[in-house]
Amino acid sequence: DAGVIQSPRHEVTEMGQEVTLRCKPISGHNSLFWYRQTMMRGLELLIYFNNNVPIDDSGMPEDRFSAKMPNASFSTLKIQPSEPRDSAVYFCASSLAATRGLGVNTEAFFGQGTRLTVV
Amino acid sequence: GNSVTQMEGPVTLSEEAFLTINCTYTATGYPSLFWYVQYPGEGLQLLLKATKADDKGSNKGFEATYRKETTSFHLEKGSVQVSDSAVYFCALRSGGYNKLIFGAGTRLAVHP
């Protein structure tokens, strides 16, 4: 398997533009995470899907951010409109999701990230 | 709620020195614990993990023991190399929906 694939690797956009980040999880994985990494805040969990359903989106900073997972092999994170403070590296990760109560020992595998710069 | 606390960095060591990076956690139930490593310009990679109390995870000379009595999972290595320079993240996974939570990360710089 090629691992978690994110695109694009780098994105530079102007303030106010819409940005869409894409993620292809590892085949067979049923949990997907979106994280944002900055020097100031470290690694923040934005949203978490289980079996394509958003379970926890409490980390999504505001309404300008939205995430979808239309099927098990694809997810998007959209920012509209983008702002300079959204500049960060965005990571997608996937894992197997343990059935409730039956263990949580499955590690997450990360993509290479998308470095977003909003000017 | 669940949380992970790591020692602040940066940690600067000479080659072959002993490394300890402290990690403590707060969680309900019985979490699994992980250490991830991030090299410059890359994503996070799993370094080691432990799934129950007293388990020891190990990989590439790194070790960490799951201590439930002290809610800790400290990372150790007996002799660091320049190539170990990276950011190290402690993480836990727990709860009904298995949310994966990371500490703030500790930057390690190893000099020849």
Side-chain angles (χ1 to χ4, degrees):
Chain A
D1 200 314
V4 176
I5 299 173
Q6 291 186 246
S7 64
R9 288 295 309 274
H10 302 274
E11 176 81 33
V12 180
T13 191
E14 291 186 347
M15 182 173 64
Q17 296 298 305
E18 177 180 297
V19 174
T20 299
L21 311 182
R22 297 173 176 79
C23 176
K24 179 178 173 13
I26 292 173
S27 176
H29 283 183
N30 52 358
S31 285
L32 185 138
F33 307 82
W34 281 102
Y35 290 89
R36 177 172 68 177
Q37 186 176 39
T38 60
M39 289 293 292
M40 292 297 292
R41 292 206 188 92
L43 197 62
E44 303 173 274
L45 176 63
L46 300 178
I47 188 168
Y48 164 38
F49 292 87
N50 210 27
N51 294 316
N52 311 340
V53 176
I55 300 300
D56 185 345
D57 64 354
S58 59
M60 296 286 262
E62 47 199 276
D63 291 346
R64 297 184 298 107
F65 286 70
S66 62
K68 294 182 180 178
M69 192 163 186
N71 56 61
S73 58
F74 184 64
S75 177
T76 59
L77 178 67
K78 184 179 293 187
I79 308 172
Q80 165 63 18
S82 58
E83 296 182 4
R85 60 193 167 118
D86 302 331
S87 298
V89 180
Y90 291 81
F91 287 104
C92 175
S94 73
S95 77
L96 291 170
T99 304
R100 190 180 187 124
L102 294 184
V104 294
N105 62 347
T106 52
E107 65 264 31
F109 295 81
F110 279 73
Q112 293 281 67
T114 295
R115 181 174 295 277
L116 173 65
T117 303
V118 183
V119 298
Chain B
N2 296 344
S3 65
V4 176
T5 303
Q6 290 182 234
M7 64 187 287
E8 286 192 26
V11 174
T12 303
L13 295 173
S14 298
E15 206 164 25
E16 299 183 3
F18 184 84
L19 168 71
T20 300
I21 300 179
N22 290 340
C23 171
T24 57
Y25 67 90
T26 302
T28 55
Y30 302 93
S32 289
L33 302 173
F34 307 88
W35 277 101
Y36 281 79
V37 59
Q38 184 180 30
Y39 299 103
E42 297 186 11
L44 280 72
Q45 305 171 26
L46 179 69
L47 181 60
L48 53 85
K49 69 179 183 182
T51 60
K52 60 183 187 297
D54 300 325
D55 265 4
K56 178 186 282 188
S58 61
N59 186 26
K60 299 180 182 179
F62 291 89
E63 292 182 342
T65 300
Y66 189 147
R67 300 283 187 206
K68 193 164 179 64
E69 64 276 14
T70 54
T71 62
S72 64
F73 193 54
H74 305 322
L75 182 68
E76 296 182 337
K77 186 174 186 182
S79 176
V80 293
Q81 305 300 311
V82 173
S83 57
D84 294 327
S85 298
V87 181
Y88 292 81
F89 293 89
C90 187
L92 72 82
R93 196 163 188 191
S94 182
Y97 292 111
N98 314 147
K99 193 169 170 178
L100 181 59
I101 297 171
F102 285 87
T106 302
R107 183 174 299 277
L108 170 66
V110 181
H111 298 291

